[in-house]
Amino acid sequence: MNITLLAANEITEALQTEVKALFEQLNADIVQQPLETLPLDNEHLVLAICRMDGQLAGMASMATYKVISGYKGMVEDVVVAGEFRGKGIGRALMEKLLREAQRLQLTEVLLFSGHHREAAIKLYTSLGFNLKQSGFYTLKIN
């Protein structure tokens, strides 16, 4: 298992193809943004990837933002390929993001997870995340 933070200069067409296929396992209905359009500077967007046996086995991202209430990170797009699940990859990806959150001195890390994703929720709570009692609203633009 090799967990690394992706840098903008490491983006290739082959990697984009791998990410597209992996992301579709998370949600095939979402239109993906091309990797080269993302601010992969490890300050605004951190993208951790896991390779096993030369394959992209998992990924997780964390966008950061500053607001009056603090310097925060939002974890998004956590996915492990079906054939690699149960090997600790999700935990390793999340731990990598949380180390980056500490390095960046974030005040809070947030994430959302569907209530049906029991394994993911178990992982997040084991890492210290707590369910926040608040409403979450969304408005699609475009």
Side-chain angles (χ1 to χ4, degrees), residues 22-96:
L22 179 62
F23 189 82
E24 286 176 352
Q25 292 184 38
L26 178 65
N27 191 333
D29 296 330
I30 294 178
V31 176
Q32 298 176 39
Q33 299 298 310
L35 290 176
E36 64 270 5
T37 67
L38 303 178
L40 291 174
D41 59 6
N42 293 331
E43 295 292 328
H44 299 91
L45 180 65
V46 179
L47 179 57
I49 61 171
C50 175
R51 290 205 169 274
M52 287 189 71
D53 303 324
Q55 290 183 277
L56 183 62
M59 67 180 185
S61 64
M62 180 177 62
T64 64
Y65 60 99
K66 291 181 181 178
V67 290
I68 293 170
S69 58
Y71 184 20
K72 301 179 182 191
M74 174 65 73
V75 174
E76 299 268 357
D77 307 329
V78 179
V79 60
V80 174
E83 64 268 28
F84 293 106
R85 291 185 185 146
K87 300 181 185 301
I89 293 171
R91 175 173 295 280
L93 287 165
M94 287 298 299
E95 288 173 345
K96 185 77 164 179

Coordinates of all heavy atoms in Angstrom, one line a residue, residues 22-96:
L22 N -12.6 4.9 -10.8 CA -12.7 4.7 -9.4 C -13.9 5.5 -8.9 O -14.7 5.0 -8.1 CB -11.4 5.1 -8.7 CG -11.4 5.0 -7.2 CD1 -11.6 3.5 -6.7 CD2 -10.1 5.5 -6.6
F23 N -14.0 6.8 -9.3 CA -15.0 7.7 -8.8 C -16.4 7.2 -9.1 O -17.3 7.3 -8.4 CB -14.8 9.1 -9.3 CG -15.7 10.1 -8.7 CD1 -15.4 10.7 -7.5 CD2 -16.9 10.5 -9.3 CE1 -16.2 11.6 -6.9 CE2 -17.7 11.4 -8.7 CZ -17.4 12.0 -7.5
E24 N -16.5 6.5 -10.3 CA -17.8 6.0 -10.7 C -18.3 4.9 -9.7 O -19.5 4.7 -9.6 CB -17.8 5.4 -12.1 CG -17.7 6.6 -13.1 CD -17.6 6.1 -14.5 OE1 -17.4 4.9 -14.8 OE2 -17.7 7.0 -15.4
Q25 N -17.4 4.3 -9.0 CA -17.8 3.3 -7.9 C -18.5 4.0 -6.8 O -19.3 3.4 -6.0 CB -16.6 2.5 -7.5 CG -16.1 1.5 -8.5 CD -15.0 0.6 -8.0 OE1 -15.0 0.2 -6.9 NE2 -14.0 0.4 -8.8
L26 N -18.1 5.3 -6.6 CA -18.7 6.1 -5.5 C -20.0 6.6 -5.9 O -21.0 6.5 -5.2 CB -17.7 7.2 -5.1 CG -18.2 8.2 -4.0 CD1 -18.4 7.5 -2.7 CD2 -17.2 9.4 -3.9
N27 N -20.0 7.3 -7.1 CA -21.3 7.9 -7.6 C -21.1 8.1 -9.1 O -20.5 9.1 -9.5 CB -21.6 9.2 -6.9 CG -22.9 9.7 -7.2 OD1 -23.5 9.4 -8.2 ND2 -23.5 10.4 -6.2
A28 N -21.7 7.3 -9.9 CA -21.7 7.3 -11.3 C -22.5 8.5 -11.9 O -22.4 8.8 -13.0 CB -22.1 6.0 -11.9
D29 N -23.4 9.1 -11.0 CA -24.3 10.1 -11.5 C -23.7 11.5 -11.5 O -24.2 12.4 -12.1 CB -25.6 10.1 -10.7 CG -26.4 8.9 -10.8 OD1 -26.3 8.2 -11.9 OD2 -27.0 8.5 -9.8
I30 N -22.6 11.7 -10.8 CA -21.9 13.0 -10.7 C -21.0 13.2 -11.8 O -20.1 12.3 -12.1 CB -21.2 13.1 -9.3 CG1 -22.2 13.1 -8.2 CG2 -20.4 14.4 -9.3 CD1 -21.6 13.2 -6.8
V31 N -21.1 14.4 -12.5 CA -20.1 14.7 -13.5 C -18.8 15.1 -12.8 O -18.8 16.0 -12.0 CB -20.7 15.9 -14.4 CG1 -19.6 16.3 -15.4 CG2 -22.0 15.5 -15.0
Q32 N -17.7 14.4 -13.2 CA -16.4 14.7 -12.6 C -15.7 15.9 -13.2 O -15.9 16.1 -14.4 CB -15.5 13.5 -12.7 CG -16.0 12.2 -12.1 CD -15.1 11.0 -12.4 OE1 -13.9 11.2 -12.4 NE2 -15.7 9.9 -12.6
Q33 N -15.0 16.6 -12.4 CA -14.2 17.7 -12.8 C -12.8 17.1 -13.3 O -12.3 16.2 -12.6 CB -13.9 18.7 -11.7 CG -15.2 19.3 -11.2 CD -15.9 20.1 -12.3 OE1 -15.3 21.0 -12.9 NE2 -17.1 19.9 -12.4
P34 N -12.3 17.5 -14.4 CA -11.0 17.0 -14.8 C -9.9 17.4 -13.8 O -9.9 18.5 -13.2 CB -10.7 17.8 -16.1 CG -12.0 18.3 -16.6 CD -12.9 18.5 -15.4
L35 N -9.0 16.5 -13.5 CA -8.0 16.7 -12.4 C -7.2 18.0 -12.7 O -6.9 18.7 -11.7 CB -7.1 15.5 -12.4 CG -7.6 14.2 -11.8 CD1 -6.6 13.1 -11.9 CD2 -8.1 14.4 -10.4
E36 N -6.9 18.3 -14.0 CA -6.0 19.4 -14.2 C -6.7 20.7 -13.9 O -6.1 21.8 -13.8 CB -5.5 19.4 -15.7 CG -6.6 19.5 -16.7 CD -7.2 18.2 -17.2 OE1 -6.8 17.1 -16.6 OE2 -8.0 18.2 -18.1
T37 N -8.0 20.7 -13.6 CA -8.7 22.0 -13.3 C -8.8 22.2 -11.8 O -9.3 23.2 -11.3 CB -10.2 22.0 -13.8 OG1 -10.9 21.0 -13.2 CG2 -10.2 21.7 -15.3
L38 N -8.3 21.2 -11.0 CA -8.4 21.3 -9.5 C -7.1 22.0 -9.0 O -6.0 21.8 -9.5 CB -8.5 19.9 -8.9 CG -9.7 19.1 -9.4 CD1 -9.6 17.7 -8.8 CD2 -11.0 19.8 -9.2
P39 N -7.3 22.8 -7.9 CA -6.1 23.5 -7.3 C -5.3 22.5 -6.4 O -5.3 22.7 -5.1 CB -6.8 24.6 -6.5 CG -8.1 24.0 -6.1 CD -8.5 23.1 -7.3
L40 N -4.6 21.6 -7.0 CA -3.9 20.6 -6.2 C -2.6 21.2 -5.7 O -1.5 20.8 -6.2 CB -3.6 19.3 -7.0 CG -4.8 18.5 -7.4 CD1 -4.5 17.4 -8.4 CD2 -5.5 17.9 -6.1
D41 N -2.7 22.0 -4.7 CA -1.5 22.6 -4.1 C -1.2 22.2 -2.7 O -0.3 22.7 -2.0 CB -1.6 24.2 -4.2 CG -2.8 24.7 -3.5 OD1 -3.5 23.9 -2.8 OD2 -3.1 25.9 -3.6
N42 N -2.0 21.3 -2.2 CA -2.0 20.8 -0.8 C -2.1 21.9 0.2 O -1.8 21.8 1.4 CB -0.7 20.1 -0.5 CG -0.6 18.8 -1.3 OD1 -1.7 18.2 -1.6 ND2 0.5 18.3 -1.7
E43 N -2.7 23.1 -0.2 CA -3.1 24.1 0.7 C -4.6 24.4 0.5 O -5.3 24.6 1.5 CB -2.3 25.4 0.4 CG -0.8 25.3 0.6 CD -0.5 25.2 2.1 OE1 -1.2 25.8 2.9 OE2 0.5 24.6 2.4
H44 N -5.1 24.4 -0.7 CA -6.5 24.6 -0.9 C -7.3 23.3 -1.2 O -8.4 23.1 -0.9 CB -6.7 25.5 -2.1 CG -6.1 26.8 -1.9 ND1 -4.8 27.1 -2.3 CD2 -6.6 27.9 -1.4 CE1 -4.6 28.4 -2.0 NE2 -5.6 28.9 -1.4
L45 N -6.6 22.3 -1.8 CA -7.2 21.0 -2.0 C -6.1 20.0 -1.9 O -5.0 20.0 -2.5 CB -7.8 20.9 -3.4 CG -8.4 19.6 -3.8 CD1 -9.6 19.3 -2.9 CD2 -8.8 19.5 -5.2
V46 N -6.3 19.0 -1.0 CA -5.4 17.9 -0.8 C -6.1 16.6 -1.4 O -7.2 16.3 -1.0 CB -5.2 17.7 0.7 CG1 -4.3 16.5 1.0 CG2 -4.6 19.0 1.4
L47 N -5.4 15.9 -2.3 CA -5.9 14.7 -2.8 C -5.0 13.6 -2.5 O -3.8 13.6 -3.0 CB -6.1 14.8 -4.3 CG -6.7 13.6 -5.1 CD1 -8.0 13.1 -4.5 CD2 -6.8 13.9 -6.6
A48 N -5.4 12.7 -1.6 CA -4.6 11.5 -1.3 C -5.0 10.4 -2.2 O -6.2 10.1 -2.3 CB -4.8 11.2 0.2
I49 N -4.0 9.6 -2.7 CA -4.3 8.5 -3.5 C -3.6 7.3 -2.9 O -2.5 7.4 -2.3 CB -4.0 8.7 -5.0 CG1 -2.5 9.0 -5.2 CG2 -4.9 9.8 -5.6 CD1 -2.1 9.0 -6.7
C50 N -4.1 6.1 -3.2 CA -3.5 4.9 -2.7 C -3.3 4.0 -4.0 O -4.2 3.8 -4.7 CB -4.4 4.1 -1.7 SG -3.7 2.5 -1.3
R51 N -2.1 3.5 -4.1 CA -1.8 2.5 -5.2 C -1.4 1.2 -4.5 O -0.7 1.2 -3.5 CB -0.6 3.0 -6.0 CG -1.0 4.2 -6.9 CD -0.1 4.3 -8.1 NE -0.6 5.2 -9.0 CZ -1.5 5.0 -10.0 NH1 -2.0 3.8 -10.1 NH2 -1.9 6.0 -10.8
M52 N -1.9 0.1 -5.1 CA -1.6 -1.2 -4.7 C -1.4 -2.0 -6.0 O -2.2 -2.0 -6.9 CB -2.7 -1.9 -3.8 CG -2.7 -1.3 -2.4 SD -3.8 -2.2 -1.3 CE -2.9 -3.7 -1.1
D53 N -0.2 -2.7 -6.0 CA 0.1 -3.5 -7.2 C 0.0 -2.7 -8.5 O -0.6 -3.2 -9.5 CB -0.8 -4.8 -7.2 CG -0.7 -5.6 -6.0 OD1 0.4 -5.7 -5.4 OD2 -1.8 -6.1 -5.5
G54 N 0.4 -1.5 -8.4 CA 0.4 -0.6 -9.6 C -1.0 -0.1 -10.0 O -1.1 0.7 -11.0
Q55 N -2.0 -0.4 -9.2 CA -3.4 0.1 -9.5 C -3.8 1.2 -8.6 O -3.4 1.2 -7.4 CB -4.4 -1.1 -9.4 CG -4.3 -2.1 -10.5 CD -5.4 -3.1 -10.2 OE1 -5.2 -4.0 -9.4 NE2 -6.5 -2.9 -10.9
L56 N -4.7 2.1 -9.0 CA -5.3 3.1 -8.2 C -6.3 2.3 -7.3 O -7.3 1.9 -7.9 CB -5.9 4.2 -9.0 CG -6.5 5.3 -8.1 CD1 -5.4 6.0 -7.3 CD2 -7.2 6.3 -9.1
A57 N -6.1 2.2 -6.0 CA -6.9 1.4 -5.2 C -7.9 2.3 -4.4 O -8.9 1.8 -3.9 CB -6.1 0.6 -4.2
G58 N -7.6 3.6 -4.2 CA -8.5 4.4 -3.4 C -8.0 5.9 -3.5 O -6.9 6.2 -3.9
M59 N -8.9 6.8 -3.1 CA -8.6 8.2 -3.1 C -9.5 8.9 -2.1 O -10.6 8.4 -1.7 CB -8.8 8.8 -4.5 CG -10.2 8.9 -5.0 SD -10.2 9.7 -6.6 CE -12.0 9.7 -6.8
A60 N -9.1 10.0 -1.6 CA -9.9 10.9 -0.7 C -9.3 12.3 -0.9 O -8.1 12.5 -1.0 CB -9.7 10.4 0.7
S61 N -10.3 13.3 -0.8 CA -9.8 14.7 -1.0 C -10.3 15.5 0.2 O -11.3 15.1 0.9 CB -10.3 15.3 -2.3 OG -11.7 15.3 -2.3
M62 N -9.6 16.6 0.4 CA -10.0 17.6 1.5 C -9.8 19.0 0.9 O -8.7 19.3 0.6 CB -9.2 17.3 2.7 CG -9.6 18.3 3.9 SD -8.7 18.0 5.4 CE -7.0 18.3 4.9
A63 N -10.9 19.7 0.8 CA -10.8 21.1 0.4 C -10.7 21.9 1.7 O -11.4 21.6 2.7 CB -12.0 21.5 -0.4
T64 N -9.9 23.0 1.7 CA -9.8 23.9 2.9 C -10.4 25.2 2.6 O -10.4 25.7 1.4 CB -8.3 24.0 3.3 OG1 -7.6 24.6 2.3 CG2 -7.7 22.6 3.6
Y65 N -10.9 25.9 3.6 CA -11.4 27.2 3.4 C -11.3 28.0 4.8 O -11.4 27.4 5.8 CB -12.8 27.2 2.9 CG -13.8 26.5 3.7 CD1 -14.7 27.2 4.6 CD2 -13.9 25.1 3.7 CE1 -15.6 26.5 5.4 CE2 -14.8 24.4 4.5 CZ -15.7 25.1 5.3 OH -16.6 24.5 6.1
K66 N -11.2 29.3 4.7 CA -11.2 30.1 5.9 C -12.4 31.0 5.9 O -12.8 31.6 4.9 CB -10.0 31.1 5.8 CG -8.7 30.3 6.0 CD -7.5 31.3 6.0 CE -6.2 30.5 6.2 NZ -5.0 31.3 6.1
V67 N -13.1 30.9 7.1 CA -14.3 31.7 7.4 C -14.1 32.3 8.8 O -13.2 32.0 9.5 CB -15.6 30.9 7.2 CG1 -15.8 30.5 5.8 CG2 -15.5 29.6 8.1
I68 N -15.1 33.1 9.2 CA -15.0 33.7 10.5 C -14.9 32.7 11.6 O -14.2 32.9 12.6 CB -16.2 34.7 10.7 CG1 -16.1 35.9 9.7 CG2 -16.3 35.2 12.1 CD1 -17.4 36.7 9.7
S69 N -15.6 31.6 11.4 CA -15.6 30.6 12.5 C -14.4 29.7 12.5 O -14.3 28.8 13.3 CB -16.9 29.7 12.4 OG -17.0 29.1 11.1
G70 N -13.4 29.9 11.6 CA -12.2 29.1 11.6 C -11.6 28.7 10.3 O -12.2 29.1 9.2
Y71 N -10.6 28.0 10.3 CA -9.9 27.5 9.1 C -10.3 26.0 9.0 O -9.9 25.2 9.9 CB -8.4 27.7 9.3 CG -7.5 27.3 8.1 CD1 -8.0 27.2 6.8 CD2 -6.2 27.1 8.3 CE1 -7.2 26.8 5.7 CE2 -5.3 26.7 7.2 CZ -5.9 26.6 6.0 OH -5.1 26.3 4.9
K72 N -11.0 25.6 8.1 CA -11.7 24.3 8.0 C -11.3 23.5 6.8 O -10.9 24.0 5.8 CB -13.2 24.5 8.1 CG -13.7 25.2 9.3 CD -15.1 25.4 9.3 CE -15.5 26.2 10.6 NZ -17.0 26.2 10.8
G73 N -11.5 22.2 7.0 CA -11.3 21.3 5.9 C -12.6 20.5 5.7 O -13.3 20.2 6.7
M74 N -12.9 20.2 4.4 CA -14.1 19.4 4.1 C -13.6 18.2 3.3 O -13.1 18.3 2.2 CB -15.1 20.3 3.2 CG -16.3 19.5 2.7 SD -17.4 18.9 4.0 CE -18.1 20.4 4.5
V75 N -13.9 17.1 3.9 CA -13.5 15.8 3.3 C -14.5 15.4 2.2 O -15.7 15.5 2.5 CB -13.3 14.7 4.3 CG1 -13.1 13.3 3.6 CG2 -12.2 15.0 5.3
E76 N -14.1 15.1 1.1 CA -15.0 14.7 0.0 C -14.4 13.5 -0.8 O -13.2 13.2 -0.7 CB -15.1 15.9 -1.1 CG -15.6 17.2 -0.5 CD -17.1 17.3 -0.6 OE1 -17.7 16.4 -1.2 OE2 -17.6 18.3 -0.2
D77 N -15.3 12.9 -1.5 CA -14.9 11.9 -2.5 C -14.0 10.8 -2.0 O -12.9 10.5 -2.6 CB -14.2 12.6 -3.7 CG -15.1 13.7 -4.3 OD1 -16.3 13.6 -4.2 OD2 -14.6 14.7 -4.8
V78 N -14.3 10.2 -0.9 CA -13.6 9.1 -0.3 C -14.1 7.8 -0.9 O -15.3 7.5 -0.8 CB -13.7 9.0 1.2 CG1 -12.9 7.8 1.8 CG2 -13.3 10.3 1.9
V79 N -13.2 7.1 -1.6 CA -13.7 5.9 -2.3 C -12.5 4.9 -2.4 O -11.4 5.3 -2.6 CB -14.2 6.2 -3.7 CG1 -13.3 6.8 -4.6 CG2 -14.8 4.9 -4.4
V80 N -12.8 3.6 -2.1 CA -11.8 2.5 -2.3 C -12.4 1.6 -3.3 O -13.6 1.2 -3.2 CB -11.6 1.8 -0.9 CG1 -10.7 0.6 -1.1 CG2 -11.0 2.8 0.1
A81 N -11.6 1.1 -4.2 CA -12.1 0.2 -5.3 C -12.6 -1.1 -4.6 O -12.0 -1.6 -3.6 CB -11.0 -0.1 -6.2
G82 N -13.7 -1.6 -5.1 CA -14.3 -2.8 -4.6 C -13.4 -3.9 -4.3 O -13.5 -4.5 -3.2
E83 N -12.5 -4.2 -5.2 CA -11.6 -5.3 -5.0 C -10.5 -5.1 -3.9 O -9.8 -6.0 -3.5 CB -10.9 -5.8 -6.3 CG -10.0 -4.7 -6.9 CD -10.6 -3.8 -7.9 OE1 -11.9 -3.5 -7.8 OE2 -9.9 -3.3 -8.7
F84 N -10.4 -3.9 -3.4 CA -9.4 -3.5 -2.4 C -10.0 -3.2 -1.0 O -9.3 -2.9 -0.1 CB -8.5 -2.4 -2.8 CG -7.7 -2.7 -4.0 CD1 -7.9 -2.2 -5.3 CD2 -6.6 -3.5 -3.8 CE1 -7.1 -2.5 -6.3 CE2 -5.7 -3.9 -4.9 CZ -6.0 -3.3 -6.2
R85 N -11.3 -3.3 -0.9 CA -12.0 -2.9 0.3 C -11.7 -3.9 1.4 O -11.4 -5.1 1.1 CB -13.5 -2.8 0.1 CG -13.8 -1.6 -0.7 CD -15.3 -1.4 -0.9 NE -15.5 -0.2 -1.8 CZ -16.5 -0.1 -2.7 NH1 -17.4 -1.0 -2.7 NH2 -16.5 0.9 -3.5
G86 N -11.7 -3.5 2.7 CA -11.4 -4.3 3.8 C -9.9 -4.5 4.1 O -9.5 -5.3 4.9
K87 N -9.1 -3.7 3.5 CA -7.6 -3.8 3.6 C -7.0 -2.6 4.4 O -5.8 -2.5 4.4 CB -6.9 -4.0 2.3 CG -7.4 -5.2 1.5 CD -6.6 -5.4 0.2 CE -7.1 -6.5 -0.6 NZ -7.1 -7.8 0.0
G88 N -7.9 -1.7 4.9 CA -7.4 -0.6 5.7 C -7.0 0.6 4.8 O -6.5 1.6 5.3
I89 N -7.4 0.6 3.5 CA -7.0 1.7 2.7 C -7.8 3.0 3.0 O -7.2 4.0 3.1 CB -7.3 1.3 1.2 CG1 -6.3 0.2 0.8 CG2 -7.2 2.5 0.3 CD1 -6.5 -0.4 -0.6
G90 N -9.1 2.8 3.3 CA -9.9 4.0 3.7 C -9.4 4.7 4.9 O -9.2 5.9 5.0
R91 N -9.0 3.9 5.9 CA -8.4 4.4 7.1 C -7.1 5.1 6.8 O -6.8 6.2 7.3 CB -8.2 3.3 8.2 CG -7.4 3.8 9.4 CD -7.4 2.7 10.5 NE -8.7 2.4 11.0 CZ -9.4 3.2 11.8 NH1 -8.9 4.3 12.3 NH2 -10.6 2.8 12.2
A92 N -6.2 4.5 6.0 CA -4.9 5.1 5.7 C -5.1 6.4 4.9 O -4.4 7.4 5.2 CB -4.1 4.1 4.9
L93 N -6.1 6.5 4.0 CA -6.3 7.7 3.3 C -6.8 8.8 4.2 O -6.3 9.9 4.2 CB -7.4 7.4 2.2 CG -6.9 6.7 1.0 CD1 -8.1 6.2 0.2 CD2 -6.0 7.5 0.1
M94 N -7.7 8.4 5.1 CA -8.3 9.4 6.0 C -7.2 9.9 7.0 O -7.1 11.1 7.3 CB -9.4 8.8 6.8 CG -10.7 8.7 6.0 SD -11.3 10.3 5.4 CE -11.6 11.2 7.0
E95 N -6.3 9.0 7.5 CA -5.3 9.4 8.4 C -4.3 10.3 7.7 O -3.8 11.3 8.3 CB -4.5 8.1 8.9 CG -5.4 7.4 9.9 CD -4.8 6.1 10.4 OE1 -3.9 5.5 9.7 OE2 -5.3 5.5 11.4
K96 N -4.0 10.1 6.4 CA -3.2 11.0 5.6 C -3.8 12.4 5.6 O -3.1 13.4 5.8 CB -2.9 10.4 4.2 CG -2.0 11.2 3.4 CD -0.6 10.9 3.8 CE 0.4 11.4 2.7 NZ 1.8 11.1 3.2

